[in-house]
């Protein structure tokens, strides 16, 4: 079958890579396991990362292949190479330290072959080779490269930082012929923040894909299943350049690509297109609309009369839950916590007050003052990582921490399609840097930070996401039910088996 | 395909009759290039490959013979309309409705600008707008205009443009002529946008991005004949009309009647895409709002939106008056890096040429001439001892010896006799100035033109 063939191909590739890069691979996991915490990095728990664990186990069969060198010699060689690599990496990456292999561990437990761990390119922006590869790839796809803007704080210099005032469209021709107009419009809306929020972005993405599929015609001598996927690749790169893809978007894209490649070759074009369109509709209906209904049903059980619920920022799911609970005549009041520079809480406040829910509005600096009043905290999530960490808007982990200190239960609401196989234990490795100029504010006609770029020792940092450890989260409410944070990998495994 | 470009080149140039009675406005030379070359160049630079040009047969004929037009690499689909027929710009759009398959970008032939066009189109795309237009700060022309006697006339009727706080959303547009009783603003607008900036010093650049639904709407509403004069104010007003907003408001009987009258028109303007519910869902789930302070959702739930991009720096001229024409001639050559002197021109060594002068092709400039801040057209002959300052000389002109020409506009094929002294004059096409003439601040045209009123 196709899956088996793909797996065999992957295994062959891995075998080849093992033989070539055998030493490098041996070093990485060994180094990770035995590196003493010389740097005060937050990566104290490298243990939860499941990826390095299967690798050393499978190293032994590989080692046995080389009877020529003795084990001691090999170990000495490895140590020497390890030291040199560590030294060079320290020089390159400064405080970041040894980059945690965050690449998706595509090896489900059934595969014994070690996975080649590669850092995704969007967290290697300070590596000129990676940048060159990216530039070449974009050139091939005829997508303009968006240049980084402004001084980047050194801790985050490995991430992209774009300016909102320099949209990607100024490098495109106006009647865009290379990229479908719906995708250009979507990219613009992403980069200007008109479509923001994990669910909204996914829905808008699927909507744009529907337009693309409608306007698509198979060129002669090509198969729809392969050609359409190739057509979508440059669009995805373009959207990535406009704004880094979210986990939910990534899962939606994976789903679409799978559906497209599963179209039998004898299927007629019209039939195939209508099938794809209905698949997209189905996905949105199941994973977003119905999931929201299910989550609301479970959450309403947790909301009792007289509750004081704290929410942070504007999560479409949490707003939906609260509105549903209010419809079901639960008596509660809401405290909306907001933070700069996005001030999304205002939008959440508007939606809740419009329904008639009594709300209080505070900024995040007042969280520890109002927490004594709060009975529950409801948080939305951008993604749930495979080690149980919750990736959400920056400030969420702070709220969870303070809530833990006050013994207030924290409930995270998240649909299952946002579950991600990535593993992350800190907010530094993989994040998104927004336009630093958004932090500049003009009060009474004076803009103090107007010329921040001219001050050499000043850097403006506008982070978008942060990760909350599972110890601070008491319950995750998903459409599959209410699960503890540590059950996320189980859900992922079940999902993989299903697919 | 995303956008189709339409160039309106059938205008008569009614505000500069002395220049246009022989040469139609789109072909007037500005910096030795025909006027319509500039918007075509703008479209070409931005990436358009095809343009629909609406023009008259005369202009079409001149276009095919002009060498500069051959430089235009885009495919020009020329649609000829009657010259004397009173066709407004909206009528012209209606005429080509069959050719319009997607959203249109309408440009006027007299626009010279170096604006980044993506700013206007980005507004159109990002907010799914029905109309996006370009405006610039109006220029005060300081050069003396030939033939203008006395002080400059009071400014033409002003345009009142109301924008919201961000400066992008167009809330109100009216011309002074329509506001005899004073400027009244509807309460519905004030409720939704309590802060409105009203600007009067703006000039419309006549560059519009329109949705395809608007062109279809025009086809049904034959009463609208001008884009600028009627369609744009109509669209701006319709943004806030009760019937275009969500039907959550209670209608009384009056509104019901209104609805049936406007019902058909609203259908046209609000043709929703096939996946409207999905778009709605995305907008609902998105935590973005274009305004704050009131309880309504993004865009106040309105489906019809008009946006404007106002530029205050950079070049943006509409060449529809004589003063604008002179100013454009001075500034337009700076847009392009082209040699000031055409390679085929013959200029003698003892000629003093200033650095901001342009000499066209096949010119002959004799000794002891001085040319400063002037534009000299193709195939012009300038004899000895001529002083040309601050002037625009079109094609095929002959200037005899000893002339002194200052601040003049000399149209094509004119002959200036020897020793003539012209200051701030406008010499019409094919005219002959007798030798030793001394004219100041005059418009010299033939007697047959005087009859055209």
């Amino acid at each position: 079958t196709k899956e088996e063939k793909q797996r065999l191909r992957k295994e062959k590739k891995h075998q080849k890579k093992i033989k070539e890069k055998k030493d490098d691979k041996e070093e990485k996991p060994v180094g990770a396991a035995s590196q003493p915490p010389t740097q005060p990095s937050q990566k104290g728990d490298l243990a939860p990362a499941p990826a390095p664990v299967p690798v050393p186990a499978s190293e032994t069969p590989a080692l046995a292949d080389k009877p020529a060198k003795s084990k001691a010699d090999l170990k000495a060689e490895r140590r020497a190479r390890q030291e040199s690599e560590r030294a060079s990496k320290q020089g390159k990456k400064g405080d970041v330290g040894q980059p945690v292999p965050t690449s998706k561990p595509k090896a489900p437990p059934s595969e014994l072959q070690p996975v080649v761990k590669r850092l995704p390119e969007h967290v290697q922006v300070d590596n000129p080779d990676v940048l060159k590869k990216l530039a070449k790839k974009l050139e091939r796809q005829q997508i303009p490269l968006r240049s980084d803007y402004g001084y980047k704080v050194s801790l985050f210099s490995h991430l992209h930082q774009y300016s909102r005032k320099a949209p990607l469209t100024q490098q495109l021709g106006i009647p865009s012929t290379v990229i479908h107009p719906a995708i250009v419009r979507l990219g613009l809306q992403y980069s200007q923040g008109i479509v923001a929020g994990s669910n909204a972005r996914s829905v808008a993405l699927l909507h744009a894909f529907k337009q693309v599929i409608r306007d698509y015609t198979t060129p002669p001598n090509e198969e729809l299943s392969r050609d359409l996927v190739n057509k979508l690749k440059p669009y995805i790169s373009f959207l990535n350049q406009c704004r880094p893809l979210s986990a939910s978007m990534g899962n939606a894209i994976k789903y679409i690509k799978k559906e497209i490649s599963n179209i039998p070759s004898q299927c007629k074009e019209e039939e195939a297109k209508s099938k794809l369109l209905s698949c997209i509709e189905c996905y949105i209906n199941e994973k977003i609309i119905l999931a929201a209904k299910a989550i609301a049903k479970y959450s309403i059980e947790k909301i009792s009369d007289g509750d004081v619920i704290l929410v942070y920022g504007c999560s479409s799911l949490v707003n939906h839950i609260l509105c549903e609970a209010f419809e079901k005549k639960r008596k509660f009041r809401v405290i909306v916590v907001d933070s700069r520079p996005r001030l999304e809480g205002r939008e959440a406040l508007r939606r809740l007050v419009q329904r008639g829910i009594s709300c209080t509005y505070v900024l995040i600096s007042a969280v520890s003052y109002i927490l004594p009043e709060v009975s529950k905290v409801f948080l939305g999530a951008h993604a749930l990582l495979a080690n149980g960490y919750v990736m959400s808007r920056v400030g969420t982990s702070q709220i969870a921490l303070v809530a833990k200190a006050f013994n207030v239960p924290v409930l995270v609401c998240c649909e299952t399609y946002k579950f991600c196989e990535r593993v992350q234990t800190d907010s530094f490795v993989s994040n998104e840097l927004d336009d630093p100029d958004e932090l500049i504010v003009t009060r009474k006609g004076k803009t103090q930070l107007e010329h921040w770029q001219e001050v050499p020792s000043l850097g403006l940092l506008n982070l978008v996401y942060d990760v909350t450890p599972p110890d601070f989260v008491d319950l995750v409410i998903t459409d599959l039910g209410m699960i503890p944070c540590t059950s996320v990998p189980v859900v992922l495994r079940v999902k993989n088996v299903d697919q | 395909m995303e956008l189709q470009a339409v160039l309106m080149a059938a205008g008569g140039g009614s505000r500069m009759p002395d220049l246009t009675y022989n040469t139609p406005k789109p072909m007037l030379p500005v910096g030795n290039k025909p006027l319509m070359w500039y918007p075509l160049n703008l479209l070409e630079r931005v990436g358009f490959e095809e343009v629909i040009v609406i023009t008259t047969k005369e202009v079409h004929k001149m276009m095919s013979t002009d060498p500069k037009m051959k430089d235009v690499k885009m495919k020009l689909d020329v649609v000829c309309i009657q010259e004397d027929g009173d066709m407004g710009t909206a009528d012209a759009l209606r005429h080509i409705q069959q050719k319009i398959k997607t959203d249109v970008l309408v440009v006027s032939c007299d626009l010279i600008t170096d604006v980044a066009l993506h700013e206007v189109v980005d507004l159109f795309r990002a907010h799914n707008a029905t109309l996006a237009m370009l405006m610039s700060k109006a220029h005060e022309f300081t050069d003396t205009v030939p033939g203008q006697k006395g002080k400059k006339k009071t400014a033409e009727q002003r345009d009142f443009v109301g924008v919201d706080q961000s400066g992008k959303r167009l809330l109100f547009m009216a011309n002074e002529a329509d506001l005899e009783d004073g400027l009244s603003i509807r309460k519905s607008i004030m409720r939704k946008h309590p802060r409105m900036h009203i600007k009067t010093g703006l000039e419309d650049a006549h560059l519009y991005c329109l949705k395809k639904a608007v062109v279809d709407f025009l086809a049904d509403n034959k009463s609208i004949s001008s884009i600028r004069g009627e369609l744009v104010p109509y669209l701006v007003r319709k943004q806030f009309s009760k019937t275009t907003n969500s039907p959550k408001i209670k209608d009384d009987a009056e509104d019901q009647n209104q609805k049936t009258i406007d019902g058909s028109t609203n259908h046209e303007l609000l043709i929703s895409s096939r996946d409207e519910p999905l778009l709605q869902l995305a907008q609902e789930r998105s935590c973005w709002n274009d305004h704050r302070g009131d309880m309504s959702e993004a865009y106040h739930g309105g489906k019809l939106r008009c946006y404007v991009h106002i530029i205050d720096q950079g070049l943006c001229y509409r060449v529809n008056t004589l003063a604008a024409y002179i100013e454009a001639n001075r500034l337009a050559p700076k847009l392009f890096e082209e040699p000031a002197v055409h390679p085929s021109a013959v200029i003698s060594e003892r000629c003093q040429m200033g650095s901001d002068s342009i000499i066209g092709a096949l010119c002959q400039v004799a000794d002891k001439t001085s040319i400063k801040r002037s534009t000299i057209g193709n195939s012009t002959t300038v004899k000895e001892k001529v002083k040309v300052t601050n002037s625009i000389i079109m094609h095929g002109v002959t200037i005899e010896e000893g002339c002194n020409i200052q601040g003049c506009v000399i149209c094509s094929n004119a002959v200036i006799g020897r020793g003539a002294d012209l200051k701030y004059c406008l010499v019409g096409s094919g005219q002959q100035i007798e030798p030793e003439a001394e004219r100041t601040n005059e418009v010299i045209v033939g007697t047959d033109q005087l009859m055209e009123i």
Side-chain angles (χ1 to χ4, degrees):
Chain A
T1 60
K2 247 194 221 172
E3 283 95 329
E4 284 179 45
K5 274 198 208 151
Q6 279 180 355
R7 214 182 328 134
L8 279 173
R9 244 183 270 146
K10 260 194 214 161
E11 285 179 18
K12 265 197 219 157
K13 243 200 264 173
H14 289 161
Q15 294 280 19
K16 252 198 244 169
K17 292 258 169 67
I18 290 171
K19 293 222 165 67
E20 284 175 354
K21 297 205 232 168
K22 187 171 155 202
D23 299 323
D24 286 352
K25 256 190 344 79
E26 283 174 9
E27 281 184 327
K28 267 198 193 154
V30 176
S34 65
Q35 184 185 13
T38 47
Q39 282 125 359
S41 56
Q42 296 85 331
K43 305 179 207 70
D45 333 323
L46 275 180
V53 174
V55 178
S58 48
E59 282 304 330
T60 37
L63 269 178
D65 289 345
K66 272 205 167 182
K69 291 191 186 171
S70 77
K71 275 208 176 156
D73 286 340
L74 281 172
K75 260 201 184 164
E77 269 183 55
R78 257 188 279 141
R79 277 287 143 90
R81 241 176 273 118
Q82 217 179 291
E83 296 296 334
S84 60
E85 273 220 6
R86 205 191 305 163
S88 67
K89 272 186 191 154
Q90 269 187 27
K92 247 205 279 183
K93 300 212 165 135
D95 290 5
V96 182
Q98 180 111 29
V100 175
T102 55
S103 55
K104 318 180 195 336
K106 292 196 192 90
S110 53
E111 247 185 83
L112 285 174
Q113 299 301 325
V115 181
V116 177
K117 286 182 290 295
R118 265 193 222 101
L119 287 173
E121 59 172 34
H122 69 270
V123 299
Q124 283 190 296
V125 175
D126 53 350
N127 186 347
D129 299 326
V130 171
L131 280 181
K132 247 191 276 183
K133 248 174 52 185
L134 174 69
K136 253 197 257 176
K137 177 176 110 165
L138 290 177
E139 210 180 6
R140 214 177 350 114
Q141 296 174 331
Q142 293 178 291
I143 310 253
L145 175 70
R146 198 170 182 192
S147 45
D148 283 359
Y149 165 77
Y151 169 71
K152 283 194 264 192
V153 173
S154 61
L155 265 177
F156 294 93
S157 56
H158 61 284
L159 299 170
H160 283 294
Q161 181 170 280
Y162 300 126
S163 164
R164 287 228 176 147
K165 297 199 205 79
L168 200 50
T169 48
Q170 68 190 31
Q171 299 166 36
L172 283 177
I174 287 213
S176 62
T177 40
V178 175
I179 307 175
H180 192 277
I183 302 276
V184 176
R185 175 175 303 164
L186 187 64
L188 253 184
Q189 288 177 331
Y190 281 165
S191 62
Q192 291 183 2
I194 295 177
V195 175
S198 187
N199 281 335
R201 283 165 78 187
S202 311
V203 173
L205 175 74
L206 291 170
H207 171 257
F209 276 174
K210 273 181 110 174
Q211 320 259 64
V212 170
I213 291 176
R214 276 216 188 87
D215 295 338
Y216 170 77
T217 46
T218 327
N221 304 332
E222 292 278 357
E223 260 188 48
L224 183 137
S225 54
R226 253 173 282 153
D227 188 58
L228 186 52
V229 177
N230 287 339
K231 272 262 160 53
L232 288 181
K233 284 208 187 115
Y235 299 161
I236 295 168
S237 308
F238 173 75
L239 292 176
N240 205 3
Q241 289 285 97
C242 289
R243 191 173 162 195
L245 297 179
S246 68
S248 55
M249 286 166 72
N251 286 341
I253 291 174
K254 256 193 248 171
Y255 173 78
I256 294 242
K257 281 194 177 164
K258 191 175 74 87
E259 287 296 314
I260 295 177
S261 23
N262 281 347
I263 289 194
S265 46
Q266 59 266 36
C267 200
K268 272 192 287 234
E269 188 178 312
E270 282 311 312
E271 223 182 287
K273 287 210 281 196
S274 59
K275 185 163 163 297
L276 283 175
L277 293 175
S278 66
C279 275
I280 293 182
E281 280 282 324
C282 200
Y283 185 81
I284 294 179
N285 202 23
E286 258 177 58
K287 308 280 181 175
I288 300 180
I289 302 178
L290 288 178
K293 282 209 183 102
I295 295 178
K297 193 167 69 90
Y298 289 125
S299 322
I300 289 177
E301 294 168 28
K302 291 288 174 187
I303 299 179
S304 29
D305 284 346
D307 259 348
V308 180
I309 298 179
L310 185 127
V311 298
Y312 176 64
C314 184
S315 163
S316 56
L317 188 54
V318 173
N319 292 342
H320 181 253
I321 292 171
L322 292 177
C323 294
E324 289 285 308
F326 194 70
E327 304 264 309
K328 297 255 168 32
K329 313 278 187 242
R330 292 274 197 277
K331 307 266 176 298
F332 58 93
R333 69 182 176 93
V334 176
I335 299 183
V336 179
V337 179
D338 203 5
S339 71
R340 275 198 71 228
R342 289 186 172 223
L343 290 170
E344 290 170 336
R346 294 185 297 192
E347 184 58 22
L349 185 68
R350 176 189 76 79
R351 286 173 201 209
L352 295 175
V353 173
Q354 200 180 27
R355 292 301 191 101
I357 306 175
S358 47
C359 298
T360 311
Y361 177 86
V362 290
L363 285 182
I364 195 169
S365 36
V367 147
S368 51
Y369 296 109
I370 46 129
L371 256 170
E373 301 178 10
V374 174
S375 62
K376 292 188 180 67
V377 176
F378 270 81
L379 298 173
H382 171 258
L384 237 59
L385 304 176
N387 55 350
Y389 279 64
V390 177
M391 184 181 210
S392 186
R393 183 69 77 225
V394 65
T396 313
S397 63
Q398 196 175 335
I399 301 228
L401 174 66
V402 181
K404 183 83 180 175
F406 279 89
N407 275 326
V408 174
V410 173
L411 295 91
V412 170
C413 308
C414 183
E415 299 99 332
T416 46
Y417 87 107
K418 290 187 196 157
F419 283 20
C420 178
E421 283 161 12
R422 222 165 54 193
V423 166
Q424 215 175 303
T425 52
D426 60 59
S427 320
F428 293 87
V429 163
S430 176
N431 207 325
E432 188 186 327
L433 291 179
D434 208 355
D435 188 353
D437 291 340
E438 300 271 308
L439 290 174
I440 301 176
V441 71
T442 307
R443 291 217 172 91
K444 297 190 187 158
K446 279 204 274 209
T447 317
Q448 308 283 22
L449 284 174
E450 201 168 358
H451 304 285
W452 69 273
Q453 307 234 33
E454 294 160 23
V455 182
S457 53
L458 180 62
L460 258 57
L461 180 64
N462 191 353
L463 278 181
V464 182
Y465 298 117
D466 71 5
V467 284
T468 310
D471 328 324
F472 299 149
V473 176
D474 293 305
L475 194 64
V476 176
I477 307 180
T478 69
D479 39 323
L480 292 176
M482 299 192 267
I483 57 176
C485 234
T486 44
S487 303
V488 169
V490 177
V491 172
L492 276 174
R493 195 159 17 112
V494 168
K495 234 185 5 162
N496 278 342
V497 165
D498 274 345
Q499 286 176 353
Chain B
M1 216 184 3
E2 189 187 356
L3 275 182
Q4 272 178 288
V6 175
L7 182 70
M8 297 284 184
S14 47
R15 273 179 270 190
M16 24 186 207
D18 313 313
L19 285 177
T20 55
Y21 68 82
N22 213 8
T23 328
K25 186 171 86 163
M27 298 305 285
L28 273 181
V30 172
N32 290 341
K33 301 194 203 16
L35 183 55
M36 64 191 288
W37 183 88
Y38 288 90
L40 284 175
N41 181 268
L42 173 71
L43 292 172
E44 192 172 347
R45 258 185 296 136
V46 160
F48 277 95
E49 289 171 350
E50 291 187 7
V51 183
I52 302 177
V53 180
I54 303 183
T55 182
T56 59
K57 289 198 189 54
E58 202 188 328
V59 175
H60 190 179
K61 247 187 287 171
M62 292 180 75
M63 266 170 65
S64 36
T65 52
D66 193 295
K68 266 288 179 291
M69 296 299 286
K70 297 202 177 41
D71 284 343
V72 175
K73 292 187 194 60
M74 302 185 288
K75 182 163 105 61
L76 298 179
D77 182 5
V78 183
V79 173
C80 292
I81 57 171
Q82 294 289 41
E83 185 176 309
D84 45 355
D86 228 349
M87 245 199 185
T89 39
D91 295 325
L93 262 191
R94 199 177 300 129
H95 185 77
I96 54 166
Q97 194 227 344
Q98 302 301 324
K99 297 193 185 227
I100 306 278
K101 307 265 182 299
T102 80
D103 305 334
V104 277
L105 174 67
V106 178
V107 190
S108 171
C109 65
D110 53 9
L111 177 67
I112 299 183
T113 180
D114 63 350
V115 73
L117 208 52
H118 76 90
E119 308 234 7
V120 181
V121 183
D122 278 352
L123 280 177
F124 184 68
R125 289 167 176 152
H127 298 277
N128 211 6
T130 311
L131 163 75
M133 54 190 284
L134 179 68
M135 287 194 133
S136 75
K137 292 238 153 68
H139 303 275
E140 288 295 314
F141 299 117
T142 48
D143 284 352
T144 14
V145 177
Q148 241 180 21
K149 296 174 171 43
K151 247 175 42 165
K152 230 166 120 169
K153 315 189 270 202
T154 48
E156 294 180 0
Q157 309 241 285
R158 298 175 289 177
D159 273 327
F160 287 85
V161 179
V163 291
D164 76 340
Q165 257 189 301
S166 67
K168 298 274 172 203
R169 180 92 189 261
L170 193 52
L171 302 175
F172 180 78
M173 165 147 346
N175 191 281
E176 201 170 338
D178 302 325
L179 299 174
E180 289 140 39
D181 301 334
L183 200 144
S184 57
I185 302 180
R186 290 161 78 166
K187 236 199 267 182
S188 56
I189 307 181
M190 287 271 87
R191 236 180 278 131
K192 293 179 183 162
H193 299 269
R195 283 191 167 223
M196 190 190 321
H197 297 263
I198 300 199
K199 306 187 185 221
T200 53
L202 291 181
E203 192 187 331
D204 186 348
H206 247 91
L207 191 144
Y208 308 105
C209 279
L210 295 168
K211 268 219 168 113
K212 179 169 181 310
V214 177
V215 181
D216 297 334
F217 165 75
L218 276 181
D220 289 338
N221 288 52
K222 303 211 192 303
S223 56
I224 298 185
S225 73
S226 155
I227 296 185
R228 174 68 182 87
E230 291 164 41
L231 183 62
V232 172
Y234 176 79
L235 288 176
V236 174
R237 271 200 317 271
K238 261 268 168 286
Q239 285 180 102
F240 302 103
S241 108
K242 263 194 229 167
T243 42
T244 52
N245 288 333
S246 50
K248 287 201 196 121
I249 29 162
K250 297 199 189 77
D251 297 359
D252 8 295
E254 265 183 41
D255 288 337
Q256 290 283 15
N257 285 341
Q258 263 242 300
K259 246 193 177 168
T260 46
I261 298 171
D262 288 340
S264 54
T265 56
N266 288 334
H267 269 305
E268 306 296 323
L269 282 178
L270 300 175
I271 285 184
S272 40
S273 61
R274 257 175 291 191
D275 294 308
E276 188 64 23
L278 263 191
L279 267 184
Q280 271 292 96
L281 180 66
Q283 204 178 316
E284 264 173 49
R285 297 301 173 104
S286 170
C287 54
W288 176 85
N289 206 325
D290 66 328
H291 65 278
R292 58 186 180 90
D294 67 356
M295 278 298 185
S296 37
E297 49 189 2
Y299 306 127
H300 300 277
K303 299 266 179 4
L304 211 167
R305 305 184 269 276
C306 299
Y307 283 86
V308 63
H309 176 66
I310 302 178
I311 48 176
D312 43 3
Q313 285 167 343
L315 204 64
C316 180
Y317 287 104
R318 280 207 59 217
V319 180
N320 53 3
T321 59
L322 193 50
Y325 177 72
I326 295 175
E327 180 96 1
N329 251 302
R330 245 186 339 110
L331 292 175
K334 298 205 173 63
L335 276 180
F336 305 103
E337 293 292 319
E338 275 185 13
V341 179
H342 198 275
S344 66
V346 173
I347 306 192
S348 74
E349 296 102 30
R350 281 193 287 171
C351 150
Q352 281 179 350
M353 217 188 78
S355 55
D356 38 6
S357 301
I358 310 182
I359 314 263
L362 302 171
C363 277
Q364 286 184 341
V365 181
D367 298 344
K368 299 207 196 120
T369 52
S370 144
I371 302 177
K372 291 196 173 62
R373 297 184 84 210
S374 300
T375 310
I376 306 217
N378 303 334
S379 315
T380 311
T381 314
V382 181
K383 300 264 171 73
E384 291 94 2
K385 297 204 195 109
V386 170
K387 245 175 83 171
V388 180
T389 326
N390 243 342
S391 300
I392 300 168
I393 305 193
M394 297 198 201
H395 312 303
V397 173
T398 311
I399 306 184
E400 304 286 345
E401 297 109 19
C403 287
N404 184 355
I405 300 180
Q406 197 179 342
C408 295
V409 176
I410 303 187
C411 297
S412 28
N413 303 320
V415 176
I416 315 285
R418 52 166 64 198
D421 186 5
L422 299 171
K423 287 195 182 55
Y424 304 113
C425 290
L426 191 151
V427 179
S429 194
Q431 293 302 306
Q432 295 212 351
I433 306 287
E434 61 277 7
E436 307 296 331
E438 276 198 25
R439 307 288 189 100
T440 311
N441 213 357
E442 276 186 39
V443 174
I444 303 157
V445 293
T447 42
D448 45 343
Q449 288 83 40
L450 289 178
M451 280 294 122
E452 284 181 31
I453 293 177

